[in-house]
């Protein structure tokens, strides 16, 4: 943790003057559920990357592949799992209730602290 | 060359705004401030100002738009009254904490309920701890002069806090008075060009306004705000000195009227101070040593200076146009502040509070005279019979 500044040292008005410093703020600890990537199922459509509000979908841009999650910043909102078309297909074809941590899903949500 | 014009208080403020020509005005009309917004909208329509005038759907939006524009580096002004101020309340605090040098004309009107449109000071007293600098104006001239000075105070690099200029709803806002309007160029030169140190529109130096501050930085941000308010004490006087020299006025922290050799005095803000001066003159003609103190700068509260100016009195009354419910027999906020200021500066004078004029109830010279008569008795006996008196309320 960086040294906290005194009131005389901080910019006035609560302004943040360094651009793009949100990356320094690790929000991963907020998670109740952790996304887990089912690599085999993935069709690399990038829907999760498009919708993630925290830029926490890691991609291999050169090979156009989804590769995983930035768990330092992912808050576990589950939007990636909701918008995943592979998940939708699995749920549709199952004909039964599919739990969010079902191993058939492309992106499954596992309770923090529990094994994948 | 300055010229004399017959202006209402609202119009006097609008005139100052025209001369200041702010970058952005975001306002919503509310009685009795409406005229200011109407006149200013006319100046915009006529091309007499280059201001971006934002018609918003509420006062909450008005102050929000002001904060946004100010953060973008614009010189920003607005105006409101009563419920309008109440509705913008949360953003009023934000404006101060983001250190937005917004100037707002507040035409004092009683807060609901019961619903009312006339003058009292309950609206401004609701935001006295919001971090805004607050100036009172006795008449239309003072409202005009204070608005011009407010721009300089707010934008001073050592301050950067919003400023609220108060005047009494209807009593001055809608009464036509002779106002000395200075030359446009002189006002323009006095307020100068606003050069913000930081701006959201500065794409080369991108920054964030309104970021979350937890227990790690919120406190430091507030401590910094307190420091700015302390610095404002000096800046308010510096700006007043320059204004006085340029426009031949006599502004300070307060006005002491026949106070130096007075034995008893009344402290009262805004238009009622004008009525009280007539009473002082009448009683002086009868040989009675009475005086008046009219606060101008309410925040930052000039406690030490007030204590110094009042220390020689044998008895003192405060006239409050609002009630601090539940505090000291329901005394008014001005009384409470002043009592603390005197006590902390070691001044112990018998003092009493007089609530008056709530919801626009008329205050007559004879009633103000009754306050002075009470004080002269207290000066003799040294005893205050009633801490709080409700003037002209029906029993």
């Amino acid at each position: 943790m960086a040294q906290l500044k005194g009131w005389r040292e901080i910019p006035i008005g609560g302004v943040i003057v360094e651009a793009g410093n949100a990356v320094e703020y690790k929000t991963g600890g907020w998670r109740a559920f952790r996304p887990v990537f089912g690599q085999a199922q993935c069709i690399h459509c990038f829907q999760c990357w498009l919708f993630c509000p925290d830029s926490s979908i890691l991609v291999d841009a050169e090979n156009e592949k989804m590769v995983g999650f930035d768990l330092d910043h992912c808050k576990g909102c589950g939007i990636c799992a909701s918008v995943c078309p592979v998940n939708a297909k699995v749920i549709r074809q199952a004909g039964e209730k599919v739990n969010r941590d079902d191993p058939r899903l492309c992106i499954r949500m596992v309770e923090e602290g529990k094994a994948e | 060359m300055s010229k004399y014009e017959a202006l209402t208080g609202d119009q006097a403020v609008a005139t100052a705004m025209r001369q200041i020509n702010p970058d952005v005005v975001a306002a919503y009309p509310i009685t009795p401030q409406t005229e200011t917004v109407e006149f200013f909208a006319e100046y915009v329509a006529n091309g007499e100002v280059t201001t971006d005038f934002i018609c918003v759907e509420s006062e909450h939006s008005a102050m929000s738009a002001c904060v946004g524009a100010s953060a973008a580096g614009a010189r920003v002004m607005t105006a409101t009254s009563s419920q309008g101020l109440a509705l913008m309340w949360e953003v009023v605090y934000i404006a101060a904490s983001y250190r937005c040098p917004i100037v707002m004309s507040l035409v004092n009107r009683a807060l609901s309920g019961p619903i009312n449109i006339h003058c009292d000071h309950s609206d401004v007293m609701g935001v006295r701890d919001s971090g805004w600098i607050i100036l009172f104006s006795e008449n239309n001239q003072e409202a005009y002069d204070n608005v011009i000075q407010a721009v300089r105070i707010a934008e001073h690099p050592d301050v950067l806090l919003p400023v609220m200029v108060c005047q009494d709803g209807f009593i001055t806002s809608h009464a036509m008075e002779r106002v000395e309007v200075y030359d446009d160029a002189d006002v323009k030169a006095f307020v100068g060009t606003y050069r913000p140190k930081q701006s959201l529109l500065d794409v080369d130096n991108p920054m964030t306004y309104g970021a979350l501050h937890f227990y790690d930085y919120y406190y430091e941000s507030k401590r910094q705000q307190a420091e700015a308010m302390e610095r404002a004490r000096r800046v308010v006087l510096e700006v007043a000195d320059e204004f006085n020299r340029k426009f031949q006025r006599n502004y300070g922290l307060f006005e002491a009227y026949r106070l130096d050799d007075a034995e008893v005095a009344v402290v009262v803000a805004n238009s009622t101070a004008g009525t009280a001066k007539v009473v002082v003159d009448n009683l002086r003609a009868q040989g009675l040593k009475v005086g008046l103190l009219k606060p101008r700068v309410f925040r930052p509260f000039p406690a030490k200076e007030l204590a110094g100016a009042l220390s020689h009195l044998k008895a003192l009354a405060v006239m409050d146009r609002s009630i601090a419910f539940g505090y000291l027999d329901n005394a008014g906020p001005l009384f409470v502040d002043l009592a603390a200021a005197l006590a902390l500066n070691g001044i112990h004078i018998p003092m009493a509070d007089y609530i008056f004029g709530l919801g626009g109830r008329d205050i007559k010279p004879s009633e103000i005279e009754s306050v002075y008569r009470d004080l002269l008795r207290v000066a003799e006996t040294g005893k205050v019979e009633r801490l709080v008196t409700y003037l002209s309320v029906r029993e």
Side-chain angles (χ1 to χ4, degrees):
Chain A
M1 186 90 188
Q3 182 74 35
L4 292 172
K5 290 175 178 166
W7 65 266
R8 287 185 179 84
E9 302 165 299
I10 56 174
I12 70 153
V15 167
I16 295 175
V17 289
E18 302 92 18
N21 69 351
V23 72
E24 292 167 26
Y25 192 28
K26 305 272 166 53
T27 49
W30 300 15
R31 269 196 314 276
F33 291 93
R34 183 174 74 256
V36 178
F37 184 35
Q39 202 156 1
Q41 294 94 319
C42 185
I43 58 170
H44 304 284
C45 68
F46 292 99
Q47 287 293 299
C48 52
W49 175 82
L50 190 61
F51 280 91
C52 176
D54 282 304
S55 306
S56 293
I57 308 296
L58 302 176
V59 296
D60 173 356
E62 208 168 304
N63 298 307
E64 298 186 4
K65 300 284 185 208
M66 171 2 181
V67 296
F69 300 99
D70 167 10
L71 291 175
D72 280 344
H73 297 96
C74 166
K75 297 175 189 139
C77 68
I79 288 175
C80 50
S82 311
V83 299
C84 175
V86 177
N87 281 11
K89 193 174 161 194
V90 169
I91 293 164
R92 183 69 187 245
Q93 288 179 341
E96 57 183 13
K97 188 177 183 295
V98 176
N99 289 330
R100 64 176 128 190
D101 59 353
D102 192 295
R104 286 173 292 177
L105 295 172
C106 176
I107 297 175
R108 60 182 192 275
M109 301 299 292
V110 178
E111 212 173 308
E112 260 314 328
K114 277 197 180 168
E116 287 167 18
Chain B
M1 274 290 285
S2 68
K3 56 180 186 290
Y4 287 95
E5 289 183 31
L7 301 175
T8 65
D10 277 347
Q11 208 173 355
V13 169
T15 303
M17 289 169 73
R18 177 183 62 71
Q19 295 180 312
I20 293 161
N21 190 13
D23 300 312
V24 173
V25 168
Y28 190 81
I30 182 168
T31 303
Q33 150 269 34
T34 316
E35 264 193 317
T36 295
V37 180
E38 284 176 354
F39 276 114
F40 192 76
E42 204 172 301
Y43 300 144
V44 174
N46 292 346
E48 293 174 72
V49 290
T50 53
T51 307
D52 275 325
F53 183 74
I54 311 174
C55 289
V56 284
E57 73 278 19
S58 77
E59 285 85 357
H60 191 277
S61 304
M63 189 48 71
S64 300
C66 286
V67 167
S70 184
R75 177 177 273 167
V76 184
M77 299 182 76
T78 187
T80 195
S81 290
S82 181
Q83 302 311 113
L85 181 64
L87 183 56
M88 63 170 65
W89 197 82
E90 67 169 339
V91 197
V92 166
Y93 274 68
I94 291 169
S97 74
Y98 289 5
R99 309 288 295 279
C100 296
I102 298 163
V103 172
M104 173 158 70
S105 161
L106 178 69
V107 182
N108 295 125
R109 160 184 153 181
L111 278 176
S112 292
I115 191 168
N116 180 289
I117 57 166
H118 291 282
C119 176
D120 75 29
H121 298 163
S122 47
D123 55 2
V124 60
M125 293 307 166
V127 295
R128 67 186 166 146
D129 299 335
S130 63
W132 283 58
I133 292 165
I134 301 174
L135 306 178
F136 286 134
S137 322
E138 177 190 324
N139 49 41
N140 305 6
Q141 183 75 53
E142 289 191 6
Y144 170 76
D145 291 344
N146 277 336
V147 165
I148 296 168
Q149 290 176 67
V151 174
R152 286 282 303 278
I153 298 166
E155 292 172 2
H156 193 288
D158 291 346
V159 178
L160 291 171
L161 286 173
V163 182
M164 203 176 288
V165 176
C166 299
Q167 63 166 306
D168 280 348
F170 289 108
I171 301 164
T172 61
S173 73
H174 284 58
M176 210 168 263
E177 283 187 337
R178 182 174 173 271
V179 174
E180 184 183 2
V181 175
Y182 313 118
D183 192 73
D184 286 1
D186 288 341
V187 175
K188 205 180 165 69
F190 184 81
V191 296
T193 307
Y194 177 44
R195 289 194 176 79
K197 259 168 71 181
Q198 55 198 36
S199 158
L200 269 181
L201 296 184
D202 181 359
V203 290
D204 295 327
N205 299 291
M207 62 184 66
T208 304
Y209 267 83
L212 193 63
H213 285 51
F214 275 145
Y215 35 74
D216 53 356
Y217 275 111
Y218 182 91
Y219 199 176
E220 278 67 30
S221 191
K222 288 292 156 187
R223 175 65 187 85
Q224 204 180 53
Q225 220 180 305
E227 187 70 8
M229 189 56 94
E230 281 309 302
R231 289 180 189 158
R233 294 183 191 281
R234 170 178 57 80
V235 173
V236 166
L237 284 178
E238 283 173 7
V239 172
D241 283 348
E242 195 183 323
F243 189 88
N244 294 343
R245 276 200 306 277
K246 183 155 181 152
F247 299 111
Q248 286 80 53
R249 297 279 164 207
N250 194 25
Y251 288 99
L253 298 170
F254 48 78
E255 180 188 350
Y257 186 74
R258 307 187 81 161
L259 188 63
D260 285 352
D261 65 336
E263 289 178 356
V264 303
V266 165
V267 175
V268 64
N270 274 11
S271 70
T272 311
T275 317
K277 284 176 187 170
V278 176
V279 176
V280 168
D281 290 346
N282 290 343
L283 294 175
R284 282 276 180 173
Q286 296 169 30
L288 299 169
K289 290 194 160 180
V290 299
L292 172 83
L293 189 144
K294 179 186 78 182
R296 171 175 178 252
V297 182
F298 180 56
R299 286 291 182 273
F301 195 72
K304 204 178 291 175
E305 293 84 353
L306 285 167
L310 299 167
S311 63
H312 63 290
L313 297 171
K314 290 181 180 165
L316 171 67
V318 177
M319 289 177 65
D320 263 296
R321 207 162 190 157
S322 63
I323 296 176
F325 286 104
Y327 194 76
L328 290 179
D329 295 354
N330 299 308
L334 192 53
F335 177 84
V336 170
D337 279 356
L338 201 58
L342 294 179
L344 289 173
N345 284 283
I347 313 288
H348 300 284
I349 307 167
M351 62 189 292
D353 194 25
Y354 291 79
I355 304 293
F356 76 100
L358 301 190
R361 175 67 50 88
D362 202 15
I363 176 81
K364 301 181 185 73
S366 59
E367 288 158 345
I368 299 174
E369 187 178 328
S370 79
V371 175
Y372 280 108
R373 298 280 177 198
D374 284 357
L375 282 180
L376 291 164
R377 257 196 316 279
V378 172
E380 268 178 37
T381 63
K383 266 176 112 167
V384 174
E385 280 169 32
R386 252 193 330 274
L387 187 65
V388 179
T389 302
Y390 299 94
L391 282 177
S392 65
V393 77
R394 287 185 303 278
E395 294 297 336

